[in-house]
Amino acid sequence: MDTLTGNTRVTQSPDVTSTPVELSKRTTRLTARDVTVHYGSKQALHGISIDIPDRAVTSFIGPSGCGKSTFLRCINRMNDTIEGAKVGGTIKLDGEDIYDPSLDVVELRARIGMVFQKPNPFPKSIYDNVAYGPRIHGLARSRAEMDEIVHSSLRKAGLWQEVKDRLAEPGTGLSGGQQQRLCIARAIAVSPEVILMDEPCSALDPIATAIIEELIDELRENYTIVIVTHSMQQAARVSQKTAFFHLGNLVEEGNTSDIFTNPRNKQTQDYITGRIG
Amino acid sequence: MNSLIIAALLLVLLGLAYQTGWARGGALATATGTKVHSRPQYHASYVAVWTLVPALIVLLLWAVFGGGITLNFIREQIPADVLAGLDANGLNALVARIHALASGYGVVGEIQPYEAAAGNALRSFQFITFLGVVAAAAVAGLGAMLYARSRITARHRARNAVERVIGFVLFACSAIAILTTAGIVASLLTEAIKFFTFINPLDFFFGTVWAPNNAATGGDYGKYGLLPLLMGTLMITVIAMCVAVPVGLMAAIYLSQYAPRQLRAVAKPIIEILAGIPTIVFGFFALVTVGPFLRDIGAAVGLNINATSALTAGVVMGIMIIPFVSSLSDDILNQVPRTLRDGAYGLGATQSETIRSVLLPAALPGIVGAFLLAVSRAVGETMIVVLAAGNSPVLRGSIFEPVATITVSIVNQLTGDTDFAGPQSLVGFALGLTLFVITLGLNIFALYIVRRFREQYE
Amino acid sequence: MTDVTASRPLSERTQLIRKNLRRRHMSETIFRALGLLAIIVALGFVALLFADILRKGVPAFTQSNLHLTATFDPEIIDVGPPPGRIAGQSEAEFRAASLKWQREVAMLNWNKVVEASLRALAPAGYEIAAKDLLTIPETDARHRLREMFVADPSLLGQTVKVDVLASANADNWIKGNIDRSLPDSQQQLKAPARALIDQFVSNGTISMGFAWSLLTNVDSRAAPASSGLLGALVGSLYMMLIVIVLAVPIGVAAAIYLEEFAPKSRLTDFIEVNINNLAAVPSIVFGLLGAAVFINYMHLPISAPLVGGLVLTLMTLPTIIIATRGALLGVSPALRQAALGMGASKTQMVFHHVLPVTFPSILTATIIGVAHALGETAPLLLIGMKAFVASVPATPLDQATALPVQIYLWQGNENRNFFESHTAAAIMVLLVLMIALNGIAIFLRSRLERRA
């Protein structure tokens, strides 16, 4: 149970009922309007429009290949790195179009961080992994400031207790769950406003998953979080807003509790009851 | 003529055996009606192998021992008093004359009666022994064939037997690789050891003067210090790597990370053309174009650059190695998982930051391995250096002066001369051994690193 | 604990990032430009190399021909009629008599015939020494005339038109390979000869034609203009045949054994390491092996394509083995299991199912390996193929040279002005052969893969 107590504080198990949030009171950080994605001649997304609330967890669910990850990667323009991908429509962060040619994608990604499906620590020390973002962006003015950023990021990611004595060891030597928390710490270290998580627990065992879910719940106090997940239970546990994707369409979106207890759409119902997926 | 007859014999035996086996195997299948283990072609092959191997053994025995037996026969034909008056060389010459007489070619000079008699005797001896050998081979083959035929039954596992033979042949083929290495090591070692009986190994490995006395027949052999050659090799290799590594690595990075697909499709094969061009062509290019060009450049900026120099050879060798570095680096960069790159992009790194701080460190072991392979290639490269380095085995530090390398000196000391009697030619093997050890060390180390790297991402 | 980044206002963080952006994008641009530069440099080298070879080599494919009108003057050709077959004469006696007559013919001063025909072409009374006049045609012109006469003795007293090659020096002068402004003392040809050549060119006595001699003649030292690649081509051909006959079956068999049959043991591990290392052993070491084992120990003939072929075979084997193994490794396990599942033995599976699928890859690898062997020079120098050979080898056991070695020999020739372009032309021939081989490999591969 070391891994569990390693966290700074033990909160009550996160589930829908324990975290009632009035989404309507939240401001909207991200607005997407009529977003389409083409890979070559193949259309992967058909006109997605959604609002993403501030300081809450929004989850994208849906069967494999439904476009949820593709949409997630539009939000910090990761699709730019894929040859032949074309994005249409608008996505605005605080009212600013992120696909505006005058906008710098480097700066955008510093504001919108990302955590990936498979833990992908760099082949560097734990310290350097976390310090990577602040270093490239020039966020720390001194060595001491950098130490501070690294330490606090590791604390926020709930990894500090486990790694504080071995910051110089390679990040690739950690366990899968630890690696993923290291990646979260790495993303936090840049102080992004939004954190995108692409199935962050799909490569982890249940215990590691539970720890990450708890972490996500904590992080929502300071960050806007968007998570793509395969698991409906996970969406129900960690998110306040849920969007259901199917075949490149956004089928339904709303408060997580509403989606899971009272879906308006037949397809959504079929999916959450396990008939499609 | 003789080899034709033997080939014909073997072919006849083969056909006969295959036919026998086939007929027998086929008959089993039709007559008994029981389940036959192997199909007729396997029975046929089985008999064929059984037939050919003994016949080949007989022929092989004759090939090995026949020469000695014939020689003995010839010696017996030579009168004792003539034989007593001959040294080894004289005897060889006489035997060669008798062989020539026996085969009907003319010989120079007067033919002694005993020579003519010996020639005639040898002719009939050769005829009879040849017939005897052919007959023995045929009998051995046929006997084995009858034996093999008698073993064919419905339950006989002919296929398994044939497959065992095939397996053995396949194994023998791969063992040739070991034999080659063994041959290289053995020949280099024995000749090098012979060299070290003339020259003290310390004088060779640590000598600073390379001045073989190629004309001398005894006594003063000259000096055989390796260091000037090693220095030349080192200089040229370093220059080559200075050209090949930046260009090759950056080309690989650009092609694998930046270039649009069309450019990649065109540029990659064109660069790889360089790898297929024979080194003699690069040598010519260095000699007639690059060397004079560098000399003129040097003259323009007030440097005295020789047209044939370490610089010329090194630059051109670097060009030759570019595709080697770039394609190995390309492979290795492509093996770094995409997720790592995504991780850096996701943090807001620019593409070059991602490449420099994530991709290259991750690929570093593999790239180092690739560089070591390239170094080993540069060290062993011969023709460019022979043509363009100027062949001046003097220990000095300037890259603008002519140098000599290990490979050049091997060529100089060994071309055309196969009388490995003096240190003048034997030194080629000592140099070869040095070269072999250096490149082998580099290769083993490089392959080890590359393998470790691959395992890391598998 | 203080939270540095969070405690700082957001705008400050953004400003920090923005402050560095220009510099970072600049370094991105520089890095990218460096990459592009590397590509341009590498492609530039390829272009430069080919342009240089073409520029130097193409002129050698045209050669100056001298159109003579030679008279077989009975006064110069002072020789009796060739001996006829006398009744009762044996074959050997007749042959001896004809040989004697041919020797007599050879002893005649054929240069006089050449000289006379050249004087006839020059303006009347043109002053030039016979020695200098004879520097215009290549030295084999007299052999041409003699051979014509031996073949047809009835030419005696007749006048025939005959084309001979201009000498290498004359060729240089015509093509401008030698600086025309050089003083007399540095010119290879004397002034009257040079002027006469210019006249010949302007009146059409000398004209340029395709240099067939480059492909149909053997190497020659006495008559450089007539030296050709035929001997080297045949030598290389023999060696390639030996490589194909030996390296391909052995290499493929070894690869099959290692990939399909070999038990995982120390021995097979050792063989593997061995092959990987052999592939990287410098070619010159194979030359040393050939010199020590094939020539010194086994006493195989020196300078023979047989030995060269054997050395190149050993050198090519690892390449073919590695490539074949790669191809075998790529065959899907499903195919293997399907074959085994149908009751095929392992041998049957490999030879009936796996091998045919990998055939295109093996073929390609083989051709590329053979092309590589074709261009190899260094090991051949060590087994004595550096010798000057002025004949076409009749068998792989005869003395011969190879195409790359011929290039090596020609680049060292003293007549630099002539042989530089001659060498470049030989390189072009070699490169064309290699490109053709590679082209065939690519063509066959796409053909076979499409069918499969």
Side-chain angles (χ1 to χ4, degrees), chain B residues 25 35 87 119 215 307 342 422:
Chain B
K35 201 163 164 11
D87 59 356
D342 281 354

Side-chain angles (χ1 to χ4, degrees), chain C residues 36-53:
Chain C
L36 192 58
L37 183 72
I39 299 285
I40 292 170
V41 166
L43 294 180
F45 280 139
V46 180
L48 191 68
L49 182 68
F50 277 91
D52 190 51
I53 300 289

Side-chain angles (χ1 to χ4, degrees), chain A residues 104 107 137 148 190-191, chain C residues 2-3 5 13 18 24-25:
Chain A
D104 197 314
E107 194 192 322
H137 292 297
E148 189 48 49
V190 192
S191 311
Chain C
T2 52
D3 190 331
T5 46
R13 192 192 70 109
R18 290 211 172 130
R24 291 170 65 196
H25 283 304

Side-chain angles (χ1 to χ4, degrees), chain C residues 4-23:
Chain C
V4 182
T5 46
S7 63
R8 198 179 282 151
L10 208 76
S11 57
E12 195 188 332
R13 192 192 70 109
T14 311
Q15 265 166 14
L16 270 178
I17 294 177
R18 290 211 172 130
K19 204 179 75 188
N20 290 321
L21 274 178
R22 246 176 70 93
R23 181 184 51 80

